[in-house]
Every structure is written in structure tokens, then in C-alpha cells.
Amino acid sequence: MALKVRRENNDMEAPLLSNDSFVVDLRRASANTTSQIAIVGAEVCPIESLDYELVENDLFKQDWRSRSRAHIFQYIVLKWAFCFLVGALAGGTGFLTNLAVENVAGIKFVVTSNMMLAGRYEWAFGVFTASNFVLTMFAAGITVFFAPEAAGSGIPEVKAYLNGVDAPGIFSFRTLVVKVVGTIAAASSSLHVGKAGPLVHTGSCIASILGQGGSRKHHLTWKWLGGYCKNDRDRRDLVTCGAGAGMAAAFRAPVGGVLFALEAVSSWWRISLLWRSFFTTAVVAVVLRALIDVCKSDKCGLFGKGGLIMYDVTSENTAYRFSDLLPVIVLGVVGGILGSLYNFLLIKILRIYTLINKRGRLCKLLLAAIISICTSCCLFGLPWLAACKPCPADAAEACPSIGRSGNFKKYQCAPGHYNDLASLFFNTNDDTIKNLYRAGTDNVFQPSTIIIFFVASYFLGIFSYGIAAPTGLFVPVILTGATYGRLIGMLMGSYSSLDLGLFAVLGSASLLGGSMRITVSVCVILLELTNNLLLLPLVMLVLLISKTVADVFNANIYDMLVNLKGFPYLEPHAEPYMRQLTVADVLTGPLQFFNGVEKVGNIVHVLRTTGHNGFPVVDEPPFSDSPVLYGLILRAHLIVLLKKKEFLHSRVHSGFDMLKQFCADDFAKRGSMVNQELVEDLILSEEEMEMYIDLHPFTNTSPYTVVETMSLAKALILFREVGLRHLLVIPKSTTRGPVVGILTRHDFMPEHILGLHPFLLTKRWWRLRLWKYDILELFQGVK
């Protein structure tokens, strides 16, 4: 893999060069060289910041004043129409994904089971292993060769995007297709991976593609859609709705989807976004219900009646006493320990996988092949360790069950007997969770079976996640937690009257709280997918305990993955050492700015030799009595001005005459960073290079500014809460220039701050997660 970083587009890369007419000398002139790239999916990519701030210039004001009430009403209606389309498409995609997984995996299990019934065990093993291998390699192959951004769950990428970090290809049409197809193949291959995370990424892809009017690269565009989400702020809101819709589609949990978007992935939230996201997930629920009703007439193949999306297995009246709190507390404590250990081991394994993946595509495929073969051998071989059990006389279903699902797999047992460990291994993850959650099955599984399956699922989930294929963590954690919950229920049965199926639900909650540290959304999701509101107090208690215990050891898994991938993520709180520094302590330079009326040649030179995306505009005599900060202008807007070639022959103020040559659509951001214009594509004559551009009508006259003595901690809170890309720093004294520097996302990163102030390392700041960029260094020079 060749690492290609387009430095001309990255506002977190190189320092700005000095202007001949006015230079602000900073105390440091070191280059900002970190926070430039991140691991996106399975590849290293350049990253940028997103422009969530509204650009208030003369053109914006003129465009806003010209809007009629009908236009504003149409804009509002289109926003709700977008939400409806995102919900409908995400719901349909979630249903088709579940339908495809159940049928593809079902055919595999039916064929294998038939061979086992005929006593052809070697052929059964061969078919089982080969089918898993083909499915895994198909998922890995299309990911590696067509869309490396589709690898993994995609939640870290969505979380980083909603925090203000953009990367090429994360929401492209190609990524969407590979994500859906790869998820079906990976989930059908008996790997311990889930569909929830990929569906969150899928919903976000759908939202982003709709927001930018389709895919220009694949000639799938809709002009009537693309003209309304003109900025990153609107697209951010739509992607948030898409993320919630994806989670709702995974578990048919509309309220849980909204809360997941709020609690786990979103960095900014407001009441209007809550309404639209709730409407989006409500559409998902309606679409899923309508499609499931179709399956009730047995038109969905092995998907049956379509009830596998929801584990409606514990809806009976649930009674519990005060004495039942002791096992629940034990569940929470042990779940917090196991969840934090799960995160620790997963990060260690991912570091090893990174060393393997950096060697190229062949090694990525080889790693996927090894994991697939080892998983198949484990799933096929371990059930032979379990003793056969006689079928219960009062079984509500056929025993032994023939085919794909069921609690009573015959496997190698004699007629009238079943293999309980095979009932867990030889099912899809959804069916296994259903079996573990099922009430009234206290005597179906042996303790030794639960122990073996818990250990296997715990480590298989860890080893399966890092391969170059669409894989999720949510379902494997639910599955492992359900197994561990049953085990605790068996061990503490004398202290509780709760059904083992309820222990399984609480076990899932405890491990989710211990690993992901999300409480409210997990609580609601579990209640929605089990349809048992009576469990609410117990689920709340076990989540709070597991999260509290796990927080002692490490961070939640998604934050750890974001850090591991190298995304410059802004935390909602400032580190303690930031209160010792001012914003002037982290500025690097020298600073480059533009005059209000600037020479074309100077603009082209600066754009070609620097990497920032924002430049201060300063008025100097004769346009003002003294140097005055007029505002901030973006690189993308400068390129539009150069492309239009509406130049002036002399250095004069053009007034509003320039506005007649442009419209707001000229400066609208079309989509991701891969669609931006490059200054190298411009062709200008020598005569044009000597002309001038009046920047006043296109300059944001109300940029956010802070005084240089403000604490870095306070500036971070302002930067993150407002969703800024650039924060101008002005001097304390009026005897200096009007601006002394620009703060970007990079300047708040620990590695940058501690690089400038290494003395802080001698203090008690060792808990900073500085290792996240060590992983990126492994990819440098990869071919």
C-alpha cells in the first residue's frame, strides 16, 4: 500500500509561511507534524477537520435576506424528508441483512447437519470449514481490494466524524455496498462478529450519500437533494440520525437507537436533532414491522416468521425479591472486570494485527484465512467434548431438532438425545442468544457446557474483530455476556429465584456496561429486544455497577479504538495539565495572513506552499488607519475565487460589485474531502497573477477569537462545544499585530502539547494515552 497524503488540503499539517508585509513572530517556529493521518478501516488515510461553523460574510447575508418564506419552508420540509428516507432505507437494509444472514448461514447448517445425521462426519467438517472459509475470504477480499474503509464496525469512524474529523471514503457509495455485502458474508461465516456496528456505519453512509445528493463518482446523483445539505453542519445532523437508525435496525429498538446516537457517538446535541432522530428511528421500526409481517406467510425462506430480529423470549411476568440483589451485584462487579479485561486484550490483539496488516493485502487475507480455519475447527471440535443428554419429556419443540436453529442439536448423539454445546455453537449468533435468553430452560445446558462456550466465545470475539472485513462488537459482547450470566446464575442459584434466562439478559447488560460503558442506551435496547419492562430496575443496577467497576481500569472500547486508530478526537473535558498552559504556549508559526485586497500571485503561492485551510484577513492602510483583523477566509473559498477569475486590475475596494458575480451555491461544500478542488488544477496566466482579489465580501467577519492569555483548558471547551475548525488568537497588548496565531484541532492533542512542553512528562500526566500514534508509525513507508 502506498501512503499518499495530500498536504495541500490538511489544516493540521504544515505551518503557515510568513507574509512579506506583516509577520507575527511566535516564540516557536516548529512544524505541526502530528494528527495528520489515521487508520480508517484497514488503511492509513489523510484526515481533515470539518467546518461546523457558519460563515457569516456579505454573500451569506445577501443570500439569507433573499430567501422567501416558501424557500425556508421547503428547506425545513426537505430536512424531514431526508430523515424519512434515511429511516426507510436503513430499516430496509437492516431487514435484508438479517434475512440474508439467516438464509445463507441456515443453508450451511442444514447441509452440515444432514451429513452429521448420515454419519459422514469428515464430509460435514469439510463442508462446514470450506463454506466458512469461502464466506470469510469473500468478505475480506472485497474489503481489502475495493473498500478498506469498510473494515471493522465503523463506529470509531462515525464517532470521529461526528466529533469533527473527516477522512476520504468513510461514507462513500462503494463503502456502503461493501459494508452491506461484507457484513452478510462475515456474519454468515460463523465468526464471532456482529451486525450492529456495521449497520450503524451503513445508516451513516446512507445519510451522508443522501445529504450530498448521491454519488457523483458512480453517476447516482439527485440534484433536488444535493442542494439543501450545503454544509458540514447539516450533514453532521443527518449522519447522527443515520447512526441512530442503524442501531434501531439492528435490534428493532427505535428509542434505544436514538439514545445510542446521543450517548455513544454524537459530540453535539440539541432538541431539534432529538426530534428528527426520533422520527428517523420511528420510520425504521415501522418499516421493519411491515417487512416482518411479510415473512409471517413463510415467504422468507429459512428466516421463518421474521422474529429473529427481536429476542421476545422473556415476556412472562418477572418476580424478584430483595435477596436477588446479591447475585445481580456480583454480576455487575464481575462484568466490569471481564469487560475491562476484554478491552485490554482486544487492544493488544489489534496491535499485533496492525503489525501483520501493514505488510500488505496478502497478509491481511492470510490473517482472515487463519482466523476462519481456527474458528471452524473450534466450533466443530469442541461439541465433541460435551456429553449427550436425553431429550426432556416436556420439551416444547422437537428433540433433537433437525436443521439450523433449536435448543436440541443431535450432532453425534444417539436418537432421543441431544448435544447442548452443539446447540450453542451450531447456530447463528442471534439464535444462540435466543436460546440463552429463553425462559424455562434451566436444565437444558450443563455447567461444563456453559463454561466451555463462555471461554470460547470470549476469546473468539476478541480474535475475530481485527480482520479486514466488516465486523461488529455489539453482538459478540451480548452473546458472551449472556453465557457468563447463565454461569453466574448456575453458581448462585441457591441465593436467587431468578430464571437463568433472566440471568443471561443481566449478564449481557453487565458485559456491555463493562466493555462499552454505555448505560442508558444499552438499558433501553435490552428492554426493547426482550420486551420485558419488569427487568428495568435490575438492568439499571447491573449497568451502573459494571460501568463503575470497569472505569477504574481503562476507557470504553470505542474510545480506545478511536485513540488506537489515531483520530484527533476532542474529549468533552480538558486534561488537568491544560490548566497550567495558555493558548499562546501551544501556538506554532510563523503566521500567514492575507490583506483585504490581495494579489492573486500571493494567494496562489501561499495555497501551494502551506497546508492550512483558514487564513486571517487583515486590513492595512489605506483601508484602515492601522492593522485591523477583518475576519477569516477558508482555503476552499479562495480556490472558488481563483477559479472564477473575477480579478481587479488595481488594489481597490470593489464593494458589492463582486457579489453580483457569485451565488451561495458556488461556495457550498459538496461532500467529503475527496471532492474538493485543488489549487494545482488552476491555470492562471502571468498577467492574472499580477491582478488583485477583494476578499472582503467573502470573509467571515465574525470568527471566534480568544485572547492569548486564556487557559488552554478553557479554549478546548469553547473549541469543542461550538464545533470549531479554527480559533483565532488575538494579542493582549494593542501594540502588537491584530492576530498572533490560529488554533486548530491539532493544537489540543496531547502529543503536540507535550512535544512543546516536555517538562509536563515529569509530572503526574503519565495516564495520557500517548501510545495511539505509535500504531500509525508502523504504517509509515508501507508499500
Side-chain angles (χ1 to χ4, degrees):
M1 174 193 69
L3 180 60
K4 299 180 181 179
V5 180
R6 297 190 301 178
R7 294 187 178 273
E8 60 271 13
N9 280 341
N10 199 329
D11 68 327
M12 294 180 286
E13 294 186 354
L16 298 176
L17 303 180
S18 60
N19 190 301
D20 294 336
S21 58
F22 176 49
V23 178
V24 178
D25 291 326
L26 301 177
R27 289 178 296 171
R28 299 175 183 85
S30 59
N32 297 346
T33 57
T34 57
S35 305
Q36 302 174 15
I37 56 177
I39 303 175
V40 180
E43 296 285 340
V44 172
C45 298
I47 55 176
E48 287 188 10
S49 291
L50 294 167
D51 296 299
Y52 290 154
E53 182 185 0
L54 290 178
V55 177
E56 294 182 345
N57 52 25
D58 293 338
L59 184 65
F60 170 82
K61 296 174 183 177
Q62 175 179 282
D63 177 67
W64 186 256
R65 286 192 297 264
S66 65
R67 293 185 178 186
S68 63
R69 291 186 177 180
H71 188 274
I72 296 175
F73 177 76
Q74 186 180 15
Y75 174 71
I76 296 174
V77 170
L78 256 296
K79 278 191 172 183
W80 288 95
F82 277 131
C83 294
F84 175 82
L85 291 175
V86 170
L89 292 175
T93 303
F95 175 80
L96 292 176
T97 300
N98 281 279
L99 178 67
V101 169
E102 296 297 329
N103 278 281
V104 173
I107 294 174
K108 175 187 66 180
F109 286 125
V110 167
V111 173
T112 305
S113 297
N114 290 337
M115 290 184 175
M116 294 288 289
L117 289 174
R120 302 167 63 185
Y121 301 123
E122 296 82 2
W123 280 96
F125 173 73
V127 170
F128 181 73
T129 304
S131 58
N132 289 337
F133 180 82
V134 170
L135 289 169
T136 301
M137 296 310 295
F138 176 74
I142 61 175
T143 302
V144 169
F145 289 101
F146 296 103
E149 301 83 5
S153 69
I155 290 181
E157 285 78 6
V158 175
K159 187 179 178 71
Y161 179 88
L162 295 179
N163 189 258
V165 181
D166 192 16
I170 56 174
F171 296 138
S172 67
F173 182 76
R174 181 179 58 185
T175 301
L176 172 62
V177 174
V178 172
K179 198 76 176 185
V180 174
V181 178
T183 299
I184 294 172
S188 303
S189 65
S190 293
L191 292 176
H192 270 56
V193 298
K195 307 182 293 291
L199 281 175
V200 170
H201 192 186
T202 298
S204 301
C205 288
I206 293 172
S208 179
I209 292 172
L210 287 176
Q212 64 188 28
S215 173
R216 293 177 179 84
K217 182 177 180 180
H218 297 88
H219 306 290
L220 297 173
T221 57
W222 305 275
K223 294 183 178 180
W224 66 278
L225 290 178
Y228 287 87
C229 287
K230 299 177 181 179
N231 54 70
D232 289 329
R233 180 189 294 262
D234 287 340
R235 274 190 286 269
R236 175 195 68 189
D237 292 347
L238 199 58
V239 169
T240 303
C241 295
M247 183 57 69
F251 297 111
R252 205 173 71 181
V255 180
V258 175
L259 295 176
F260 177 82
L262 168 62
E263 185 179 8
V265 296
S266 179
S267 295
W268 295 280
W269 200 265
R270 58 186 186 277
I271 191 64
S272 60
L273 181 57
L274 176 65
W275 296 337
R276 289 202 297 271
S277 59
F278 184 73
F279 172 72
T280 306
T281 57
V283 173
V284 172
V286 172
V287 170
L288 286 177
R289 171 54 63 186
L291 293 175
I292 288 175
D293 287 342
V294 175
C295 291
K296 290 184 177 179
S297 56
D298 295 329
K299 296 180 179 179
C300 296
L302 294 174
F303 193 52
K305 298 185 182 301
L308 299 180
I309 294 178
M310 188 174 184
Y311 311 120
D312 188 4
V313 294
T314 57
S315 57
E316 300 86 357
N317 292 331
T318 304
Y320 47 87
R321 302 187 299 268
F322 182 79
S323 60
D324 296 324
L325 294 181
L326 176 61
V328 172
I329 293 174
V330 173
L331 271 173
V333 173
V334 180
I337 297 174
L338 290 175
S340 60
L341 178 63
Y342 190 92
N343 295 356
F344 173 79
L345 295 176
L346 180 61
I347 295 300
K348 293 294 184 182
I349 293 298
L350 290 179
R351 287 186 175 186
I352 297 174
Y353 284 1
T354 301
L355 293 172
I356 299 173
N357 290 336
K358 74 165 188 174
R359 298 182 177 275
R361 295 175 175 175
L362 182 60
C363 289
K364 293 178 182 178
L365 296 176
L366 181 61
L367 176 62
I370 293 174
I371 296 299
S372 174
I373 294 174
C374 292
T375 300
S376 297
C377 293
C378 178
L379 300 186
F380 194 91
L382 288 179
W384 294 85
L385 301 177
C388 295
K389 294 187 63 177
C391 291
D394 56 347
E397 57 182 288
C399 181
S401 58
I402 306 299
R404 176 175 53 92
S405 62
N407 269 333
F408 307 105
K409 288 286 185 180
K410 183 177 181 298
Y411 209 63
Q412 87 289 6
C413 296
H417 293 72
Y418 71 98
N419 188 316
D420 56 348
L421 188 54
S423 300
L424 298 176
F425 277 127
F426 259 61
N427 270 318
T428 62
N429 289 335
D430 287 352
D431 288 334
T432 302
I433 294 173
K434 182 179 178 180
N435 291 339
L436 291 171
Y437 280 6
R438 193 184 302 275
T441 58
D442 291 3
N443 300 318
V444 170
F445 302 105
Q446 305 174 80
S448 59
T449 294
I450 296 298
I451 293 174
I452 294 174
F453 186 75
F454 167 71
V455 174
S457 62
Y458 191 88
F459 288 101
L460 286 177
I462 293 174
F463 283 102
S464 300
Y465 179 75
I467 66 173
T471 55
L473 283 172
F474 221 94
V475 171
V477 172
I478 291 177
L479 175 60
T480 305
T483 311
Y484 139 77
R486 270 205 173 242
L487 180 60
I488 294 295
M490 291 177 177
L491 297 177
M492 304 192 66
S494 59
Y495 298 95
S496 175
S497 60
L498 294 179
D499 186 88
L500 292 185
L502 301 183
F503 268 107
V505 176
L506 296 175
S508 295
S510 68
L511 199 58
L512 285 169
S515 175
M516 301 182 181
R517 317 293 161 79
I518 45 181
T519 54
V520 180
S521 57
V522 166
C523 181
V524 174
I525 288 173
L526 286 175
L527 294 179
E528 287 185 293
L529 66 84
T530 58
N531 194 28
N532 194 343
L533 190 60
L534 295 175
L535 282 176
L536 179 60
L538 297 180
V539 174
M540 292 174 63
L541 178 62
V542 77
L543 280 169
L544 289 173
I545 294 175
S546 63
K547 180 186 184 300
T548 303
V549 172
D551 281 339
V552 175
F553 299 100
N554 51 33
N556 73 75
I557 187 58
Y558 291 128
D559 282 349
M560 295 177 73
L561 289 174
V562 166
N563 292 326
L564 180 67
K565 287 174 173 288
F567 289 112
Y569 186 85
L570 295 179
E571 299 289 348
H573 60 274
E575 296 288 351
Y577 68 88
M578 290 185 178
R579 305 186 187 281
Q580 299 186 14
L581 303 174
T582 65
V583 294
D585 293 327
V586 299
L587 292 177
T588 56
L591 176 71
Q592 172 68 60
F593 75 99
F594 290 124
N595 292 310
V597 181
E598 187 60 79
K599 195 175 183 179
V600 173
N602 290 342
I603 296 176
V604 173
H605 172 73
V606 170
L607 293 181
R608 287 178 176 174
T609 56
T610 64
H612 278 325
N613 270 288
F615 303 92
V617 176
V618 175
D619 267 343
E620 295 181 291
F623 299 103
S624 62
D625 296 334
S626 62
V628 176
L629 175 63
Y630 185 80
L632 182 78
I633 191 166
L634 300 178
R635 168 186 287 269
H637 294 180
L638 288 171
I639 293 178
V640 172
L641 295 176
L642 294 173
K643 188 177 180 180
K644 281 277 189 175
K645 297 185 178 182
E646 297 293 338
F647 303 145
L648 303 173
H649 292 280
S650 59
R651 195 165 180 260
V652 296
H653 200 308
S654 65
F656 285 92
D657 294 337
M658 286 283 288
L659 296 180
K660 299 177 182 179
Q661 311 299 326
F662 296 89
C663 64
D665 286 342
D666 294 331
F667 298 92
K669 188 173 181 181
R670 305 301 177 185
S672 184
M673 55 185 287
V674 296
N675 297 323
Q676 292 182 1
E677 298 284 349
L678 301 178
V679 67
E680 284 75 15
D681 298 334
L682 300 176
I683 301 176
L684 299 172
S685 64
E686 294 184 4
E687 179 182 1
E688 291 171 333
M689 296 285 277
E690 296 298 322
M691 300 176 73
Y692 295 86
I693 299 180
D694 186 2
L695 302 179
H696 291 97
F698 313 101
T699 300
N700 182 8
T701 57
S702 59
Y704 285 87
T705 60
V706 296
V707 69
E708 61 181 337
T709 55
M710 176 182 283
S711 71
L712 190 61
K714 193 173 182 180
L716 170 64
I717 299 302
L718 171 65
F719 194 94
R720 187 186 189 276
E721 292 301 319
V722 181
L724 300 179
R725 186 176 188 177
H726 306 101
L727 183 60
L728 298 183
V729 181
I730 59 177
K732 184 75 170 180
S733 173
T734 58
T735 60
R736 302 171 60 189
V739 59
V740 298
I742 300 180
L743 289 175
T744 61
R745 176 178 296 267
H746 157 78
D747 297 302
F748 296 101
M749 293 298 106
E751 61 279 356
H752 169 65
I753 298 171
L754 297 179
L756 295 176
H757 305 281
F759 73 91
L760 293 173
L761 290 172
T762 62
K763 297 182 180 292
R764 300 178 61 185
W765 316 127
W766 57 270
R767 296 182 64 184
L768 291 173
R769 297 185 295 274
L770 297 178
W771 45 263
K772 65 180 180 180
Y773 284 94
D774 295 339
I775 295 297
L776 295 175
E777 294 178 1
L778 298 174
F779 284 88
Q780 300 296 335
V782 176
K783 301 297 182 182

